[in-house]
Amino acid sequence: MNILHNRLHRLTASIAILTLSLLAGCSTKSADQPSAPAAQVKKGGSFTYAYNSDPTSLDPQKTPSTTTVHDLIYDTLFIRTPDRDYAPNLVDTYSLSDDGKVLDMKLKQGIKFHDGEPFNAESVKFTFDRAVDKDTKSPQSGGMLAGYEKTEIVGEYEVKVYFTAPQATIFYNLSQTFLAPLPPKAVKDKGDNFGREPVGTGPYKFVKWQANDSIVLEKNPDWKLAPKWADNKGPMYFDQIVFKYIPDENTQVMALQNGEIDILGVPGQQLDAVKKNPDYNFVESTAANLVYLGINSKKAPFNDERVRQAIASTIDRDEIVKNALFDQGVANWTLLSPAIWGYDPGLKDKAWPLDLAKGAQLLTEAGFKKNASGKWEKDGKVLTFEIMTYTTQPYPRVAEVVQSQIAKLGIDVKIKTLDSATLLAATPKGEHDAILIAYGWSDPDILFNFLHSSRLASSNRVLYVDKDLDALLEKGRTTVDLKARFAVYQEAQARILQKAPWVPLYTGKGVTAIRKDIKGIKTGPNGELYLYDAYKDVK
Amino acid sequence: MARYILRRLLQAIPTVFGISILTFLLVHIAPGDPITAMLPDYASPEDIARLKAAWGLDRPLHIQYWTYLVRLVHGDWGTSIRTGRPVLEEIFTRFPATIELAISALCLAVVFGITAGTIAGVRRGSTSDYLTMMFSILWVAMPSFVLALLLQLLFANKASLPVFAFAPSSGRAGAPLSLPWLKSIALPAFTLGARASAILARLTRSSLLEVLRLDYVRTARAKGLSEWKVTVKHGLRNALIPVITVLGLQLGGLLGGAFIVETIFAWPGVGRLGVTAVFNRDLPMIQGTVLLVSLIFVFINLLVDLSYSLLDPKVKYS
């Protein structure tokens, strides 16, 4: 379950991955383990994860993706609740102004960073100022504070944060470790080394990090931020959390069998073998991602929406899930993962259903005729195109199934597999026909980045321009009222489905195996694995 | 001798320089850049431009290269764009593990390879000769990931084969030469050394067979020397010259990064550093690892050449 990273395709492609996240966005199907009565809980011991590549930096403002290590070292100002809402975490009480531009936060008192530095208004101001500072070279955090103007220190434990535009996603952003408060003094003293010796307020303190070997954290005995839905209100039970570097999938499975690690996001190919093993409990979760076919809407003949719609009419999502994913995914007819806020299964009616006759009709209306060999032709040109996708599975497999489905309409598709950097560099030129890639994010505002016309030549990789959609996506990022915001994204998604610059395919599923001697791990509806009540039942 | 070494080192400068220009250009010809590879795929053009400027990637190529070169001459190998840490530091936190593994593998290869090759050469046509050659073909042909898996299943499988399971399935444990360390390095070193030992065995055998046919060996025998002395002192010593050459190349390869073995056994060496850097287009890191590997090869080739004079008195350097 490689969901903790926001760049989904990369996960499969060998960049920093820890097997699971305390706060990953995904939804789960699994009964919680019952919590033990306090007397039965065995405190102490260690809990071991596997990871397959060192994190880039443990400074959340200097990493393109956060991991479970970050999540355990730092606390966030807000936290995502099991019912997909947001609750104050390091914040005590707060209010967002009516225009959505000023966030007033009163902070919890008596909280200290691991090095003893007090957590206060000063540290929040420092954190935000640093995130947007050019010299920080922040790959992610800075962008999450778009429109940030300034932080005003009102009192020792109160800040007012000013923005230039209404902030509909502010609570989501502040619940991400990317914007977790940092200790000003430690950051200044350690300089570039802060990313190797991080200091936070979280449930675990950093102990050591040996490159390509292990990362060790120890319990923060003063931690008292356990949320409402945890039974254990004190510090977590494990004395130590160890992350073991094991890049190879077979070795990961063997390490789990040997008890060298306690938990593992099971690699797809190993799933059948691992599932037979009676020594594990399993947690199944739906990822906060979407794999889609994006069609270059600027290039002829795909600039004619009927051609895109015809392609959309050939897609059989259930077949993709069955034959390319071996059921490790769920068919998705919308633009958002079922695991995140904004998902609306009702949008299926707005998507182009599998209907080859309709596809043929759309192509005919667009001026295409079937030639002698049964292929569609217009002005002497045969309709055929190329799908670019990643080299890592399951993308090539999915592309092949899509290829066979489109072929049924009489359109030949070629597949070109590329590594992530090459593919992403190729799209801004606009010479490509179609891409089969994924995105992972937990707020619908992400659609702005991919389909707004201001993002042409960068992250709008389908070069789609639609003033009406632009207006909706702009409205979505500034509408603070949740009900109104939901309606905006319903309308925006319906429009995208109708015009078909993107044809959504599926959302990934992951299975996590946990050794049976680990008790008390609870799962949230978003796939979070809560460690608050977890302990090792050593006989 | 000292002059020879100095001359060889000076000769290495243009080689290394050429390699660095080539690497630099190749990375720039390849599509993609470190910033877009690092940023999320929804990053705004402003963010991309901001970071490119911050890392100096918006400047003309020749200026970027010149800056790199000037820093390099001052001992600064640059900063990894991905991790924001000095390249040299990134390399040297991992290099000791790679050296440990390479040396261990090489020791195994030398001991097994040269011994087996010598026995096979001396007892040509015997069962031990056939067995040695059979196993050496097997080791050369077997991909290291297959051998690694087999070894893991046999010797690190606490769940199903607890009797044989003496080693951890992966990772490096304990201080060098301690018992936990020996246990943890045994499987990766054997996997890595198997191929090299097979190559050495075949080479030693054929080279020895050739040498043993020569006149001076017959002379040695005629002098009444023992067969042991004839084989080892007169035969093997001369037969080892081509073996040492190959040994040097093997060691270079082992040090340059045993990517697969390090991955399977989670050995914390440099192996993955270069490969990950290429995927991330992390230019300073790619330059750094390539530079390291080329320096290793230059250095080892020098050692190999120098060792000839120890083995063969006819070879002299000045």
Side-chain angles (χ1 to χ4, degrees), chain A residues 6-7 9-10 14-15 52-57 62 64 133-134 137-140 143 192-193 196 210-213 244-248 250-251 254-255 257-258 260 390 419 421-422 424-425 437-441 446 449-450 454-455 458-459 461, chain B residues 31-33 36-48 50-51 54-55 82-85 89-90 93-94 149 152-153 156-160 167-173 262-270 272-273 276 278-281:
Chain A
N6 297 314
R7 301 204 59 187
H9 53 275
R10 291 273 176 86
S14 96
I15 324 264
N52 72 6
S53 178
D54 272 329
T56 40
S57 166
K62 296 205 171 177
D133 188 343
K134 211 173 70 203
K137 299 180 189 166
S138 161
Q140 176 65 264
D192 280 346
N193 252 345
R196 301 289 297 188
Q210 277 180 283
N212 282 10
D213 183 77
K244 256 185 85 132
Y245 168 73
I246 309 179
D248 183 70
N250 290 306
T251 312
M254 180 163 278
Q257 277 170 6
N258 285 352
E260 293 163 358
Y390 298 124
D419 75 291
T422 310
L424 296 183
I437 58 174
Y439 83 85
W441 194 250
I446 194 70
N449 303 46
F450 294 128
S454 67
R455 291 305 183 86
S458 67
S459 54
R461 300 183 191 284
Chain B
D33 64 83
T36 28
M38 172 171 71
L39 286 182
D41 56 1
Y42 43 81
S44 68
E46 299 83 45
D47 279 347
I48 293 173
R50 175 176 58 89
L51 277 188
W55 284 104
R82 190 88 187 169
T83 65
R85 285 164 50 82
E89 206 177 306
E90 293 275 12
T93 45
R94 292 166 174 85
L149 271 177
Q152 265 183 341
L153 285 173
N157 198 347
K158 276 186 215 131
S160 336
S169 63
S170 69
R172 170 173 174 265
E262 285 187 1
T263 300
I264 295 179
F265 290 103
W267 193 259
V270 284
R272 277 173 75 86
L273 208 58
T276 317
V278 170
F279 276 118
N280 294 334
R281 307 286 191 270

Side-chain angles (χ1 to χ4, degrees), chain B residues 278-300:
Chain B
V278 170
F279 276 118
N280 294 334
R281 307 286 191 270
D282 190 347
L283 184 64
M285 197 54 129
I286 298 174
Q287 292 272 53
T289 41
V290 171
L291 187 62
L292 175 81
V293 174
S294 35
L295 287 177
I296 289 173
F297 270 94
V298 166
F299 183 68
I300 287 177

Side-chain angles (χ1 to χ4, degrees), chain A residues 86-124:
Chain A
Y86 299 96
N89 194 34
L90 277 169
V91 167
D92 196 16
T93 58
Y94 66 96
S95 65
L96 184 64
S97 66
D98 290 340
D99 64 1
K101 290 184 187 174
V102 185
L103 179 65
D104 189 335
M105 295 185 282
K106 289 199 177 69
L107 309 173
K108 283 189 180 146
Q109 302 189 13
I111 290 173
K112 283 194 163 71
F113 287 98
H114 299 148
D115 63 349
E117 215 178 320
F119 162 72
N120 54 25
E122 177 64 40
S123 43
V124 174

Side-chain angles (χ1 to χ4, degrees), chain B residues 192-211:
Chain B
L192 199 58
R195 197 185 153 84
S197 84
I199 293 172
L200 291 186
R202 297 184 68 82
L203 201 68
T204 308
R205 176 181 178 272
S206 61
S207 176
L208 190 63
L209 281 177
E210 214 166 279
V211 168

Side-chain angles (χ1 to χ4, degrees), chain A residues 9-36:
Chain A
H9 53 275
R10 291 273 176 86
L11 306 183
T12 37
S14 96
I15 324 264
I17 298 176
L18 294 160
T19 39
L20 4 120
S21 170
L22 201 66
L23 299 166
C26 32
S27 78
T28 342
K29 254 194 280 168
S30 158
D32 281 355
Q33 297 168 324
S35 325

